[in-house]
Amino acid sequence: MNYSKILNQIELELKEFPNNGKVASYIPELSKVDPEKFGIHLYCISGSNHSFGNSTERFSIQSISKVFGLTLAMQLLGDSLWKRMDVEPSGNAYNSLFQLERENGIPRNPFINSGALVISDILISEYENPKDEILKFVRRISGKPTIDFDEKVAQSEKQHGHRNTALANLMKSFGNIKNEINQVLDVYFYQCSLAMSCEELAKAFMLYANEGTLLESNEQLLQPIKVQRINALMQTCGFYDEAGEFAFRVGLPGKSGVGGGIVAVHPEKYSAAVWSPKLNQKGNSLLGMEALERLTTKTGLSIF
Ligand code: GLN
C-alpha cells in the first residue's frame, strides 16, 4: 500500500474542501487556536510513518485523553469498573445531563464526560497522585517525556466548566462519585488539557493497533482482551451522537476531542491522528472526519 501517495492525494483534494466548521469557544482558551491548522500522521505497524501539514505541532487533545484514563482504570479495577458505568452508545451530546438523571447516575459509557468524570474519581481513589500517573502513562506509550498538561487550558476550563460540575454533582447525589467534586474536576480538566501532536498521538495509539504491545520495545503493556474492549468502545461510543456516522463513513474505532483532533486505529495495520480545529455540529473535527473517510476509501481497508 502506497500510504504516502494516498496522503498526498488527500492533502491536495482537501485544499478545495469548503470547511464551514466552528472552533470550540465554550472553553475560551481553545478559541485562540489558528482555525486553519491541519495535519495528519499515519503510523504503520511495519514501522513506516507518513504525514502532512501541521502534524508535529501540539494541540489540546481534550476528549481523546478519555482513552488513556479508561486504560488506566481498566488496569486498576478489572471488570468491577463496569458496575460504575455502562458500555452503551449514548446517542446524546458528550455533556448531556438528562440521560444521567434517568439512569440513576450511571454514565452510558466511559467516553462521554460523565463516564470520564467517574474514571477520574477512580484514579483519585486508587493512586496517590493521579495526574502524575496519567502523564507517566502517556509519556511512556508515546515515547515522549516532554508531553505535558496545558496549564492555561486547564484553568480556562475550570473557570467555565459549569456543565461538568453539574454532571459530577448529579452523580455524587446518586453515590457514583466518591471523592470531593473539586478534586474530581481538577483531575478531569488536567487530563483533558494534555497537549500532543498528531505524530505523538499516532504513536501512543499504536498500543491499541498493536494488541497492547509497544511497537518499538515489544513490551506487552495491556492484555489483548482489554485492547479489544477499548477498541469496541471507541467504535461504538468514540464520537458521541455521531458514532454511527463515523462507523458508516470511516469504518474504524476512533476517538475525537473538541480541540479538533481525531485518532483512529486499524487493528494490526496502523494508527492515524488528524487535527483540524473547526468542528461540526456534533463537536467532531469536520475536516478530520473527511480526511479519515478518504483514507479508508482510498486504501479500501476497513475493519468491516
Ligand atoms: N474538556 C471537554 C469538556 O469537558 C472535553 C469535551 C470533548 O472533547 N468532547 O467539555
Side-chain angles (χ1 to χ4, degrees):
M1 188 70 66
N2 192 339
Y3 287 114
S4 282
K5 192 170 158 206
I6 288 173
L7 286 195
N8 284 342
Q9 282 173 354
I10 295 173
E11 182 180 20
L12 263 177
E13 288 171 14
L14 291 183
K15 280 203 165 88
E16 311 296 322
F17 191 79
N19 186 353
N20 53 12
K22 292 212 164 28
V23 172
S25 56
Y26 75 102
I27 303 170
E29 195 61 31
L30 292 185
S31 66
K32 295 184 181 163
V33 71
D34 173 355
E36 301 312 322
K37 294 284 179 189
F38 181 36
I40 189 166
H41 189 100
L42 185 72
Y43 187 17
C44 299
I45 206 144
S46 63
S48 71
N49 284 270
H50 313 272
S51 59
F52 68 70
N54 309 107
S55 62
T56 57
E57 192 173 321
R58 287 183 177 158
F59 59 94
S60 191
I61 72 164
Q62 292 294 317
S63 282
I64 295 171
S65 68
K66 290 174 172 139
V67 180
F68 303 139
L70 170 66
T71 305
L72 292 174
M74 281 174 81
Q75 293 285 60
L76 290 164
L77 292 197
D79 278 347
S80 67
L81 172 63
W82 307 114
K83 293 192 184 113
R84 306 268 308 264
M85 67 190 69
D86 211 336
V87 292
E88 293 298 338
S90 66
N92 281 300
Y94 53 86
N95 54 8
S96 169
L97 278 148
F98 76 90
Q99 197 168 45
L100 195 59
E101 160 81 347
R102 226 179 32 221
E103 297 181 358
N104 302 322
I106 300 293
R108 272 289 170 109
N109 66 66
F111 292 153
I112 48 176
N113 290 12
S114 52
L117 285 161
V118 171
I119 300 263
S120 297
D121 187 49
I122 290 166
L123 300 186
I124 293 166
S125 299
E126 299 291 322
Y127 287 132
E128 192 124 345
N129 195 333
K131 288 195 272 188
D132 279 359
E133 297 293 337
I134 293 167
L135 271 186
K136 218 159 73 186
F137 176 70
V138 176
R139 287 172 176 170
R140 185 165 180 210
I141 62 173
S142 59
K144 274 286 181 72
T146 56
I147 288 172
D148 218 333
F149 302 123
D150 183 325
E151 193 68 38
K152 281 193 186 146
V153 171
Q155 293 308 330
S156 178
E157 189 163 6
K158 212 174 254 195
Q159 279 154 23
H160 297 85
H162 310 301
R163 257 179 183 271
N164 287 316
T165 310
L167 289 167
N169 274 296
L170 185 56
M171 290 190 288
K172 183 112 183 150
S173 78
F174 284 106
N176 201 17
I177 291 286
K178 315 288 179 199
N179 296 284
E180 288 302 316
I181 300 283
N182 283 342
Q183 235 185 324
V184 174
L185 290 170
D186 180 73
V187 169
Y188 173 77
F189 291 146
Y190 271 88
Q191 177 186 280
C192 286
S193 83
L194 276 168
M196 293 172 75
S197 66
C198 290
E199 185 182 24
E200 290 162 347
L201 277 170
K203 185 151 180 212
F205 271 72
M206 185 46 86
L207 184 69
Y208 309 97
N210 192 34
E211 298 181 303
T213 297
L214 295 181
L215 195 60
E216 284 171 4
S217 63
N218 220 18
E219 197 182 342
Q220 179 94 43
L221 271 196
L222 258 179
Q223 287 169 292
I225 178 70
K226 292 204 170 106
V227 173
Q228 286 160 13
R229 287 182 162 173
I230 293 168
N231 287 345
L233 284 165
M234 283 201 267
Q235 185 71 63
T236 51
C237 313
F239 298 83
Y240 325 112
D241 42 346
E242 208 171 32
E245 178 89 6
F246 193 81
F248 188 80
R249 286 176 50 195
V250 179
L252 296 175
K255 186 74 202 82
S256 65
V258 288
I262 301 179
V263 191
V265 299
H266 196 310
E268 291 165 64
K269 286 205 167 53
Y270 62 73
S271 67
V274 57
W275 174 45
S276 162
K278 289 200 226 168
L279 310 178
N280 65 20
Q281 291 195 334
K282 303 284 171 87
N284 298 315
S285 173
L286 196 139
L287 206 55
M289 272 180 75
E290 189 64 35
L292 290 172
E293 180 178 359
R294 288 175 196 233
L295 174 68
T296 50
T297 304
K298 286 179 193 298
T299 57
L301 300 171
S302 144
I303 62 160
F304 296 108

